[in-house]
Amino acid sequence: MEKIIDKARILIEALPYINEFKGKIFVIKYGGSAMKDKNLKQQVMKDVALLSSVGIKPVVVHGGGSDISKLLQSVGQESTFVDGIRVTNDDNIDYVEMMLSGKLNKQIVSDINYYQGKAVGISGRDGGMIQAVSLEGEKDGMSRVGKTVKIDASLLYTLLDAGYVPIVSPLGVDENGKSLNINADEVAGEIASELKAEKLIYLTDVDGVLDDGKLISQIDSKGASALIENGVISGGMIPKVSYCIKSNVSNVHILNGTLEHSLLLEIFTQEGIGTKIIK
Amino acid sequence: MEKIIDKARILIEALPYINEFKGKIFVIKYGGSAMKDKNLKQQVMKDVALLSSVGIKPVVVHGGGSDISKLLQSVGQESTFVDGIRVTNDDNIDYVEMMLSGKLNKQIVSDINYYQGKAVGISGRDGGMIQAVSLEGEKDGMSRVGKTVKIDASLLYTLLDAGYVPIVSPLGVDENGKSLNINADEVAGEIASELKAEKLIYLTDVDGVLDDGKLISQIDSKGASALIENGVISGGMIPKVSYCIKSNVSNVHILNGTLEHSLLLEIFTQEGIGTKIIK
Amino acid sequence: MEKIIDKARILIEALPYINEFKGKIFVIKYGGSAMKDKNLKQQVMKDVALLSSVGIKPVVVHGGGSDISKLLQSVGQESTFVDGIRVTNDDNIDYVEMMLSGKLNKQIVSDINYYQGKAVGISGRDGGMIQAVSLEGEKDGMSRVGKTVKIDASLLYTLLDAGYVPIVSPLGVDENGKSLNINADEVAGEIASELKAEKLIYLTDVDGVLDDGKLISQIDSKGASALIENGVISGGMIPKVSYCIKSNVSNVHILNGTLEHSLLLEIFTQEGIGTKIIK
Amino acid sequence: MEKIIDKARILIEALPYINEFKGKIFVIKYGGSAMKDKNLKQQVMKDVALLSSVGIKPVVVHGGGSDISKLLQSVGQESTFVDGIRVTNDDNIDYVEMMLSGKLNKQIVSDINYYQGKAVGISGRDGGMIQAVSLEGEKDGMSRVGKTVKIDASLLYTLLDAGYVPIVSPLGVDENGKSLNINADEVAGEIASELKAEKLIYLTDVDGVLDDGKLISQIDSKGASALIENGVISGGMIPKVSYCIKSNVSNVHILNGTLEHSLLLEIFTQEGIGTKIIK
Amino acid sequence: MEKIIDKARILIEALPYINEFKGKIFVIKYGGSAMKDKNLKQQVMKDVALLSSVGIKPVVVHGGGSDISKLLQSVGQESTFVDGIRVTNDDNIDYVEMMLSGKLNKQIVSDINYYQGKAVGISGRDGGMIQAVSLEGEKDGMSRVGKTVKIDASLLYTLLDAGYVPIVSPLGVDENGKSLNINADEVAGEIASELKAEKLIYLTDVDGVLDDGKLISQIDSKGASALIENGVISGGMIPKVSYCIKSNVSNVHILNGTLEHSLLLEIFTQEGIGTKIIK
Amino acid sequence: MEKIIDKARILIEALPYINEFKGKIFVIKYGGSAMKDKNLKQQVMKDVALLSSVGIKPVVVHGGGSDISKLLQSVGQESTFVDGIRVTNDDNIDYVEMMLSGKLNKQIVSDINYYQGKAVGISGRDGGMIQAVSLEGEKDGMSRVGKTVKIDASLLYTLLDAGYVPIVSPLGVDENGKSLNINADEVAGEIASELKAEKLIYLTDVDGVLDDGKLISQIDSKGASALIENGVISGGMIPKVSYCIKSNVSNVHILNGTLEHSLLLEIFTQEGIGTKIIK
């Protein structure tokens, strides 16, 4: 009996967090290892369904990584990367888009719906949401890699207002209607900024921002800028952290997505489990 | 670490119940011992705040019992009861009403608001909500005891639609504007029926409906009728149970309000802890 | 026949006032002698019901005065006042609140409803409306006397938008959920300022602001300031008058509430019968 | 002072009527002598403005009678009537319509607006409101006299919902877009029926329905049917009375429009001054 | 078959214009020759109906010219003009208004409705829309000619929001409720400015602004100002053009209303057929 | 000049059709040859954009046919069909879905948006829209071919109400969240029935229903039933025609999608160009 009462106590502990975040928008970037393991994937989807059920408004942006490479391999194409960006052009863009918008996006949708969420999968082409330009000029061979020019958030608001969880595949569209492959971290950040999100959460493969091997639980944007300058924060972590520094996003969280229920633990407990960058 | 993940798992377990009951109205009758113990009172108020925070729409109807007797005693009046009903007349109605609508009602309001709920205390006189007639004719000396004639639920809907938790003091008003003291069990039942509530929950001093000392976890209204006929259900339990049998209420629950978090446990766990009467 | 046509002419005279004030908020402080005489009370309630029926939005704030003293006496407590403020502490706050929120408030509600108004009684604790702090520090023994810190008007707007007349009992709540007794003049003024009321009307025991025994019919806030400085306006009249000078209220009226229908006469006739302070 | 308080008492007497009729639709047929006398006209317009200001929704249908004849005379045309209906055809319809929709209609509009109402003048051609057929076939020479086929009330609802008082000129439109002159009593009745009006009020030149010279204050539709059969009610009074008997209108009132403020007196006093036919 | 496919191609050509102008307000001044020829009139009304059916919000302001003169003649009055303005006073204002608001206005309404539009005819007196002052002081004998003081656009918005096409007769009302005859070009311009119209279109008897006999297709407001200064734009063309220069109107168009479908051609083709003045 | 006026006349001809169909839902099944030819595809997308721009609410359901086969071939899989249905199972469902939801669906979206429409691509998995069961039991090897069980149209209404054109990929979801490949004709029909569509339009490779080589322009559902019985209507034409006979759809149209602008011609001309089955 005491054990069952403990359950109630844990629910009650969540009360202040639910009240604080109700009606707020959380943009969640989901990719990497957390997306590969089937069991982990289910935990994440359950977490998203719970956030939505208590009145938080999650928007999920997903990546594709290894699944795209596998598909390309099956049709005899190699995957090449420059500066961590997949070389995407007319030869492979269709496969990239099919995997992202046709397979991974819809799987996430069905998983969340299975846990009683109400998810809808869209890509940046839908409703002309992500207007982008090709990187062709800047980076050779990257004719179908895009950079976000403008987010038209009206479709997102339509879905959020109707209680849906938008699942966004990171494709944009250029002025001729051509699709462009965009870095999912960037898409998540730009959408979060346009929506003035309460939280932008990156589910990564690492525990958070580490300083000399030690996790930094919380840091403000000034402190984060300093860590970027002195090189503690580097590589792909820089753009993630920067969305808190220079955009409309209130908080950025860097979490280890391979840790079970990391999303819930970061949001619904005092300590959190990753790094939180505050404005 | 495993312990903290367990917390997340418990939150996830609540997911199907939250989704099932979101937007539904629960009328909760709160009185007796659960209202006397200060610690217990706080548990109940936290539970109500949590229900509200996850999107359920609770309406609380409270009684007054022993506090009224104490107040009367302090002004030199004795409390007398006939068939379990307090003898209420022009001599004591003001004290009865002051204790119910002026002290107990507002304390419950502030307690729930302290736990971040948004409670508003009203009595059946407000907005002409509970129209009643005096029992004078039927029961001698009961000139200020009332019987519900009609519930005008518009004020309740106004408050619920704006996200408030209505706390109802069990006073009604007759056609001349006079206040009448009404049994709180009856008020809860009549309101639940008028609101077509999903659940009518009685927080009592017993574990539920007992058959030969054994708790009945669930029973349908047909079975409940049989138990009334053969005397297993008797006394004050009869009218409570009857609101499921003869009104617009989907489920009636009889719980032990002196058990910590009994409200949450009944609603958010598979087994429940009291008796559930289903239509 | 001519007499009956005169009735129609009088109705027609009210037309420009109705059109001018339709949809505007009037905060009415009601207390003192006007509240003691049963017949007068009914006239005031009829007036409020009429204002509401022609589309004006009245909010009534009431006091308690002598009724509280009587209740305290009946339980053997004395009433003491310092600077016109009732000494309120843990010993008597419950009685103060019970009389105000439990008896007087609900009687006003039922009276207005009897004249076909739609009144709802609340106190400053409901919906966390009046957030206050104890005067303890400032005034000895005044642990349960409060000073308004912030008005959260959302509950008032919810009720007004739904066509209800809010009747406000002058209790506030501190950050721990404890009730505090607040001067009703102050509560009326603070609510009027927060609601940006068209009129703040004090129903008092005097005819208005008197200069050398002569009633001042109208004065602007500059003139009023001068009269405060030279002592013509003094005592409890100062804070009343000041709500026009330093807040969001357009006009403050000081009326003799013991004069039959003074409310209607001030609002619906050219001359008025009390003092009107204009911005 | 007592005299001024009497004014307030008279306002208070109107309270139950205002509450009873607020939001209800009154269709008022206005014509005959009440429309000719300039002073009387102003009284009627004030009455309509007052009804509107207290929340009643008046719709005014006007006739034209003698003004049309005068205009025709000025262009050298004679007015002829058959069975009380003006012979209207291609020769005179333009003059009929110009006087009704162009002069009388707009004068009523400006008069009501002068008394702070918000009137809008339309004819049955606007928004295709009154669809009619020519009486040509039935009555010789009546090619531009019409009979109502269907009322499309959407324009009326648009204006009423926005707080306007619609003033209706009794012209209809046939399926080819041609205008037809329709009896104003009929237009008022058909509109009242389509709007399910609370009251249909005819401002006539007589005191009401007379039985042997004596005014009948109130009669039900059954009684009215009997009076029609035995000839007490006859001529143009029959169709007026009939709208209560056979349509969606709750009450029909026959008033003497030449009596000052007859409209207000009928609506806001217990006795009334004309004949009220109830369903 | 090819011919029928051409039809579809022409519809498709209209697509970008429909998308550009959907939901925008176009104020169309309609008068002169385009209003006299019955066939032309039907073309204009069809054009207006089409604009409305594809989601554009037209407001039509009409003149009266020769029809008024004819009516005055039939009652033995002469028409005199000073500076192109009809001398209007107490002797003839009724005839002016009857022709404009009673005949021409309602004919336009029925014509548009015949082509499945939803038109409603009003004058500037309705809803107190056009508040004006008499030119009496400025111009002798012009006691009933008016100048616009203020446009109250609420009635127009009410009608536009409900999907109606307002047809406006150019009468205004002074502060005593008297009607005043106002130049229709001015009424169109003032209404367009108050509504912040996308387009203000004058259907005139000439092809547009001519420079040395050659049509100017498009000119900006600076260029237009220059042409006014050097006398190329002169007379009645000056005020029309000026509404683009000094008001809230985005574009003014001067078209030849006697050219079939000039309205559609100007709006739905690349070249247009008249003069377009852009801000 | 005459030629340009002809253009206006053609626009005017569309007026009655626009008025008739404004706000109505048209479900368009798009597939086969019309989808393969790039030029034709653009014509169809322009037509859909035009329908949307004049206020009609199109929903497009597309197929995939030959593109799926090509993709399967590129990964070394063969396409097999039984009774015209693609054998779909765990081996190929991912490729089927990726081509349909990931490539074709998003291309249609971008094409319509390029012509200024506002399209959003979804599959039946989104929002749990198409709930289906596997045909496994009925047809061997068809484990991932589905049959529609229930359409949840809420996502479609959300998008339509916000002015979007939903583009639907014909995938459904079973109770375990697994995707199922469904015949696009069936999806179009079931959605049209659930939405109570005004029109269900099949863009096919044939001219319509042929009787002895001659096109049937229009036929009622009774006549269509007869033709099914006597074999004139057969094969894949039967289910298409049947949606008019047995569902909530008002009209079914069978058109030749390879004919330029067939969609517009069928809807906006008197004769139409295909077969129309009316209820």
Side-chain angles (χ1 to χ4, degrees), chain A residues 7 9 13 22 53 260, chain B residues 7 13 22 53 260:
Chain A
K7 286 193 181 188
R9 287 187 190 127
E13 276 177 37
K22 194 178 286 185
S53 87
E260 200 186 327
Chain B
K7 285 194 180 186
E13 275 178 38
K22 194 177 285 184
S53 86
E260 198 185 330

Side-chain angles (χ1 to χ4, degrees), chain F residues 104-131:
Chain F
L104 299 175
N105 184 272
K106 300 308 177 190
Q107 275 179 353
I108 295 172
V109 164
S110 285
D111 284 350
I112 293 180
N113 291 354
Y114 183 73
Y115 297 115
Q116 302 173 298
K118 282 174 60 190
V120 171
I122 53 177
S123 90
R125 298 176 85 175
D126 291 300
M129 179 169 61
I130 306 181
Q131 291 151 32

Side-chain angles (χ1 to χ4, degrees), chain D residues 68-84:
Chain D
I68 297 172
S69 299
K70 267 184 239 154
L71 176 61
L72 287 173
Q73 203 174 357
S74 75
V75 296
Q77 293 197 12
E78 245 176 282
S79 290
T80 50
F81 294 83
V82 175
D83 296 342

